[in-house]
Amino acid sequence: MNLLVTGGAGFIGSNFIHYILREHPEVSLVNVDALTYCGNLENLSGVEKDPRYRFVKADIADAGTMAEVFAGASFDAVLNFAAETHVDRSITGPSVFLRTNVAGTQILLDLALKYGVPRFVQVSTDEVYGSLPETGAFTETTPLAPNSPYSASKASADLLVRAYVHTYGMDAVVTRCSNNYGPWQFPEKLIPLMITNALEDKPLPVYGDGLNVRDWLHVEDHCRAVWLALEKGVKGEVYNVGGANEWHNLALVKELLAILGKPESLITFVKDRPGHDRRYAIDASRIRRELGWRPTYDFASGLRQTVQWYIENETWWRRVKSGEYQKYYQTQYGL
Ligand code: NAD
Ligand code: DAU
């Protein structure tokens, strides 16, 4: 099986590539990534020597270059991980989110259609459903109600996928996962930001009252769900993915500090994110029932392993946190 994986130098894409090359010897793949600020080939070290792997630096929103990638490649499936993914950056600069997440997806859909690629998997997010009150969970029939430019762009891409299935008969599925954690996550996201700041004894910036809720899943469990959706998902369907593992942000940050043996005095409450979604929770019963998916990581040990990974990979995150990151951090937090 020959796959086109986009965004494979990012957090989830790189974990997916490690996972697939390790677990599925029948798979070869081309990784297309534009290497934006969060795309990092160091996430794939070791993989580049595998004859089943090829990297192409390209922008999914560049139709001409992407046509060259598709021509003669004979892909069996496209898995679209490539995206601008950080909500805070979408609030200060939405344009690139529309370009990559919407136009980029449309270009991939067009090319998949033109070159007769038999399967398309769109890696989406639970954020397309908006925010929940204190109870309940998102199902696949929850109406789309995105609240940030990021989630609006992801919802737009999902609707394009739906339209290509309906109009052109394209064989595509969408996965919508909750918050991921694990190795190689860019340290602008909550968990790696808090771990690395704590390791540096820097303030941990918690938005608002810290009582927003997120539903955390280990990235490898997400990767297995994407693979199952590719293999067994029904054309045109959506699959929610989540581990039924809700945490208040503040409780999670305290847990990380306890694992690291650092004081809670590092916690600093900062101005809230505009339009901050209060709570996400995923009902993943469909993918469990229909595709046989189960999360394998227990959160307590997954979180400890992740903390340990950041302790052992200090060179990686120190390099990532230099340069452009410093400017971003100053503007975002002023800390
Ligand atoms: P990430 O920001 O770590 O990585 C995104 C990757 O896409 C980077 O390697 C980047 O270089 C690449 N990219 C960006 N623009 C591109 C373009 N125009 N052309 C080619 N490549 C481009 O993101 P992530 O957290 O790994 O998320 C991957 C996917 O999973 C995204 O589609 C995201 O919406 C979705 N998702 C993420 C989470 C999460 O918790 N992180 C949860 C659910 C769904
Ligand atoms: O739910 C899936 C989504 O999860 C993905 O689609 C997104 O790509 C991914 O970025 C993530 O979005 P969130 O906005 O939930 O993740 P983030 O790590 O940015 O924030 C998690 C929570 O922590 C959220 O309530 C905001 C809060 N937070 C975040 C940062 C960066 C803070 O309190 N302080 C911070 O500095």
Side-chain angles (χ1 to χ4, degrees):
M1 184 184 270
N2 184 25
L3 305 180
L4 171 61
V5 173
T6 70
F11 163 49
I12 303 173
S14 61
N15 275 283
F16 183 80
I17 290 173
H18 283 289
Y19 165 76
I20 286 299
L21 292 177
R22 192 178 67 235
E23 302 287 329
H24 291 278
E26 75 283 11
V27 172
S28 59
L29 63 93
V30 175
N31 170 21
V32 165
D33 198 296
L35 300 182
T36 66
Y37 74 94
C38 62
N40 186 349
L41 290 177
E42 281 182 43
N43 300 5
L44 291 158
S45 62
V47 163
E48 67 281 344
K49 294 193 189 77
D50 193 318
R52 294 178 295 145
Y53 172 82
R54 188 160 70 86
F55 174 67
V56 179
K57 182 174 186 299
D59 176 351
I60 60 164
D62 174 349
T65 309
M66 287 311 298
E68 288 169 21
V69 173
F70 276 76
S74 198
F75 293 122
D76 296 302
V78 174
L79 294 110
N80 185 25
F81 291 91
E84 288 292 334
T85 62
H86 196 40
V87 172
D88 295 321
R89 291 188 193 246
S90 84
I91 294 167
T92 50
S95 302
V96 68
F97 284 73
L98 299 190
R99 183 174 187 277
T100 293
N101 300 2
V102 187
T105 302
Q106 178 255 317
I107 284 165
L108 291 174
L109 287 166
D110 271 350
L111 289 167
L113 208 56
K114 180 173 172 194
Y115 287 92
V117 179
R119 195 89 161 130
F120 192 104
V121 180
Q122 174 66 7
V123 180
S124 187
T125 166
D126 61 354
E127 296 200 12
V128 298
Y129 298 121
S131 187
L132 286 165
E134 280 185 14
T135 55
F138 299 129
T139 71
E140 289 82 357
T141 56
T142 300
L144 300 187
N147 288 321
S148 71
Y150 162 68
S151 53
S153 70
K154 292 295 288 184
S156 306
D158 288 12
L159 293 179
L160 281 170
V161 174
R162 178 190 151 87
Y164 275 63
V165 173
H166 188 79
T167 306
Y168 306 111
M170 185 151 180
D171 187 338
V173 294
V174 174
T175 59
R176 293 188 181 136
C177 191
S178 61
N179 289 62
N180 286 209
Y181 72 97
W184 293 295
Q185 186 167 31
F186 194 83
E188 65 187 350
K189 306 284 165 63
L190 182 76
I191 288 183
L193 174 66
M194 298 299 159
I195 296 172
T196 56
N197 275 17
L199 287 171
E200 294 185 282
D201 297 308
K202 286 189 174 156
L204 310 193
V206 171
Y207 293 157
D209 59 7
L211 297 181
N212 300 67
V213 174
R214 295 294 182 265
D215 183 353
W216 295 94
L217 183 74
H218 193 277
V219 61
E220 203 172 293
D221 283 327
H222 183 193
C223 293
R224 287 188 311 101
V226 171
W227 174 255
L228 279 175
L230 165 70
E231 263 199 316
K232 298 198 209 162
V234 174
K235 172 179 167 181
E237 295 297 343
V238 172
Y239 297 93
N240 282 356
V241 185
N245 176 39
E246 292 180 50
W247 284 74
H248 284 119
N249 293 337
L250 188 56
L252 179 53
V253 171
K254 287 183 178 174
E255 182 71 17
L256 290 170
L257 287 169
I259 295 172
L260 285 159
K262 296 283 183 177
E264 288 188 6
S265 55
L266 287 175
I267 294 172
T268 307
F269 290 93
V270 298
K271 194 159 79 59
D272 208 354
R273 170 185 282 174
H276 195 173
D277 285 336
R278 192 65 172 168
R279 175 172 169 261
Y280 302 147
I282 274 278
D283 177 344
S285 49
R286 174 179 218 181
I287 192 166
R288 283 173 172 265
R289 192 176 59 244
E290 296 181 13
L291 306 188
W293 176 82
R294 298 273 178 283
T296 57
Y297 277 80
D298 123 83
F299 190 58
S301 52
L303 199 61
R304 280 185 176 277
Q305 271 178 36
T306 301
V307 169
Q308 192 57 33
W309 188 89
Y310 282 90
I311 292 172
E312 285 166 12
N313 289 273
E314 189 173 333
T315 323
W316 178 88
W317 60 259
R318 282 207 186 271
R319 199 156 30 237
V320 165
K321 281 182 108 169
S322 63
E324 193 270 347
Y325 183 93
Q326 290 302 328
K327 274 192 226 138
Y328 161 77
Y329 197 84
Q330 268 304 318
T331 317
Q332 177 66 22
Y333 299 100
L335 289 171

